[in-house]
Amino acid sequence: MFKNFIPIVNHSLKYNPSIDGLRGIAISLVLIFHIWPEYFSFGYVGVDIFFVLSGYLITQIIYTKLEQKSFSLKEFYRNRIRRIFPALIVVLITTLIIGYLFMFPSELEQLGKHIKSSSFFYENFRLIGEVGYWDESAALKPLLHFWSLAIEEQFYIFWPLILVFLYKIRLNIILTLSILFLILFTIPLIIEIDKFYHTLSRAWELALGGLVFVISYRYKNIFDVLNKYKILIYLAFIISIAISYNNTSFSTYKTFIIVFFSALLILSLSHDKSKTIFSNSVLVFMGIISFSLYLWHYVLISFTHIFGFEIDITIGLILVFISILLSYLTYRYIEIYARAKSSYIFAFCLFIIVLFLGLAGSYISKKDGLPNRTHLESNENFEKQFIRTSAQNDLGITLTTKVLGYKPTNNYVKSTSDDISKKFVLIMGDSHAHTSYHGFAEEFKKYGYETILLANSSCPVYLGGAMGKNLEDLNQCKKKIDTTYELINSNLDIQKVILTTRMGYMYDIGFGIVDDGGKPWNYHFEDFFKNKNDYNQKEIFFDVVQKTFQYFENNQKVKFYYLVENPELGFSPKNCMVRPFGLFPNNCRLTLNSYLNRAGEYRVFIYDLSKKYKNINILDPKDMYCDDKYCYAIKDNKMLYADNNHHSIEGSIKQAEYFINDLIFNGENNVK
């Protein structure tokens, strides 16, 4: 009955339901991790299980045929194409159609790049430097999961060539593969490459699977030992998954543990003829459709995020059901048909289709995401607001280098003039200072002031407030802060200073789509690295802000303004734009209470502290963004945000216009 429901295709190897059951566990782990990462943070290791399985099974196919004198490279690559390309084509075409119908030009332009890199199997390299796997914004890339498929395909190109070469020159293959495994394992430990996405950071996992097979092929008595201790292997496998709970970054050493015990488990299951817990029919079913399920599930999850839906339990279960249904249909009516075709012409046609999809993706990206699609609503003005201004300009570098005697290392360095005889306003802080600068520069110019930006990314310029993910980051931050105060104390005529930063530094937890809301942010003050067990980030934040206020209270040279952080949305402002056909939610505001709950402690602290110092002026943008019920991302048909907390260009201008009269004409405490 089960076989009638989901027929099993002919395999190059003798069929083993327990191996499909292990595949079922691996894909289930990946599925629940991507849908509910906060509850199943260990699920990402399913990919590592797949890597070992692939290395083991591909080596088994190649090596046994080499021993039988029947291996053919041409046949091997044909089989890989008919195994992988049919489902790949269906998923890529579906993704492209959905993107064409519903995505904004900037989104479709990005998707086009990823369709190209997914079709040509270098998606892992595209993602290096583009997005971290655990970043919240990763959910907005429908083809992000193709990184692992790219690594496997790259492995399939080179691995058979290596095995054929080693077999023909008659070297000790176990020794040679052991040396190769050790080299591959060592590479990411000693060379500065991306530890998660780079092929050379992951090839050792597939190579270990291959090595384990060759050892088992040469030493068949190993199965008697494994069978004797199989319960312990099962337990070790479960424990190796559990130790990855709550990981937010990739660890080669932890990964080795799951890879090693996965390899032992695969060995045990491969020659265990008894019925095991892994041959359970549900797990086997999940394993049989696992390839299609891997391709489909993340596309559906990502589009759910992109279209503005929050994935709760109900939507998560719907995504599970649709993913499994599409995967079953793809396997039943696409994969089975394609894998029964032995024609090289058929395989070549599949290759041409994938090549065409890659070229189509390239065309879309070069054409700026096809902005002239007739069914699109006009969001052109809003889309422009998601483009950031440059981080530095020549005038800023020239001016600060003249004054300081060296080129600053700060991330954001700008100026409207390099004439040191002018009077200046300094905008200082973090990336919020960067996005505030444009508007202030335009407004102050009208009153005869030049404007300087000196700010840092995730490095607030509070006295003693250096932060970092590690000590190296923190020490770099210290230098940037010192540079800022050196400029303030220089002979340059700086008459006003506006300091603005995120309030989130007082917490070690993210908020919103930019920094992975609800998860550890991992930027810490220096005391964290000295006294981790008794570290209180909030208290240190309060202390460094107070020290900064004291400094400017005693500084008679400048008039100081502290710009309170604007409301953080907690969602992407792209959700504010109208998507075609009106099928998706259009949420563009948050309740005033939710903003005050998030920022209340921070706001009370800033206002209480400012009362102690007569030279501290507070700029509060709350009333610019909020009425008595809601805070808005769009006002007067202007998009105020570039992401969930940074100003857009129009938001920057609107903020400067809101404050400029008080900045120029009013010197009283607590300006707004």
Side-chain angles (χ1 to χ4, degrees), residues 278-344:
F278 295 92
S279 57
N280 172 277
S281 59
V282 175
L283 289 179
V284 171
F285 169 74
M286 295 292 284
I288 290 171
I289 67 168
S290 61
F291 179 64
S292 291
L293 185 52
Y294 187 80
L295 296 182
W296 277 117
H297 82 284
Y298 198 80
V299 171
L300 299 174
I301 292 167
S302 182
F303 277 127
T304 302
H305 284 290
I306 289 169
F307 297 150
F309 293 97
E310 184 177 342
I311 297 181
D312 55 17
I313 295 297
T314 301
I315 290 181
L317 291 173
I318 291 171
L319 285 171
V320 170
F321 173 77
I322 296 174
S323 298
I324 292 174
L325 177 62
L326 288 175
S327 303
Y328 167 71
L329 294 174
T330 305
Y331 173 82
R332 182 69 179 82
Y333 298 106
I334 304 293
E335 287 191 66
I336 288 179
Y337 171 80
R339 289 166 71 177
K341 294 284 186 180
S342 58
S343 166
Y344 284 95

Side-chain angles (χ1 to χ4, degrees), residues 20-30 49 237 241 278 283:
D20 266 333
L22 182 57
R23 279 197 185 99
I25 288 176
I27 190 59
S28 298
L29 287 170
V30 173
I49 299 170
F237 174 72
I241 293 173
F278 295 92
L283 289 179

Side-chain angles (χ1 to χ4, degrees), residues 529-648:
F529 304 101
K530 297 178 178 178
N531 189 22
K532 189 180 294 188
N533 294 328
D534 194 28
Y535 175 75
N536 188 315
Q537 186 146 317
K538 187 190 304 181
E539 287 183 3
I540 297 174
F541 175 81
F542 289 161
D543 181 60
V544 298
V545 174
Q546 180 158 336
K547 286 178 181 175
T548 306
F549 279 23
Q550 286 174 338
Y551 170 85
F552 283 104
E553 173 70 11
N554 297 323
N555 189 318
Q556 301 302 310
K557 176 187 174 185
V558 302
K559 185 171 288 293
F560 177 75
Y561 299 87
Y562 185 84
L563 174 56
V564 175
E565 186 194 8
N566 51 288
E568 296 188 24
L569 300 176
F571 58 84
S572 170
K574 288 184 179 181
N575 294 348
C576 302
M577 298 194 295
V578 180
R579 291 194 183 273
F581 313 116
L583 297 178
F584 304 111
N586 180 251
N587 178 26
C588 209
R589 66 188 186 186
L590 69 156
T591 65
L592 177 63
N593 284 340
S594 66
Y595 162 57
L596 294 178
N597 287 339
R598 162 76 177 164
E601 189 175 14
Y602 159 77
R603 291 175 58 82
V604 168
F605 165 72
I606 294 297
Y607 271 103
D608 286 349
L609 187 61
S610 68
K611 292 173 184 175
K612 299 179 181 179
Y613 305 106
K614 62 181 181 181
N615 198 33
I616 304 299
N617 304 284
I618 302 300
L619 302 172
D620 188 349
K622 179 177 76 70
D623 292 340
M624 171 188 149
Y625 291 93
C626 310
D627 56 25
D628 58 349
K629 290 185 178 179
Y630 297 101
C631 299
Y632 301 90
I634 294 176
K635 289 195 95 174
D636 302 325
N637 204 32
K638 304 285 188 184
M639 176 69 75
L640 305 181
Y641 287 81
D643 55 39
N644 89 295
N645 68 84
H646 291 97
H647 297 297
S648 65

Side-chain angles (χ1 to χ4, degrees), residues 414 490 517 603:
K414 284 187 171 183
S490 70
R603 291 175 58 82

Side-chain angles (χ1 to χ4, degrees), residues 181 184-185 188 200-209 252 255-256 259:
F181 162 74
L184 291 172
F185 182 77
L200 291 178
S201 295
R202 295 303 198 117
W204 64 270
E205 300 182 47
L206 294 113
L208 181 61
T252 301
T255 302
F256 176 78
V259 166

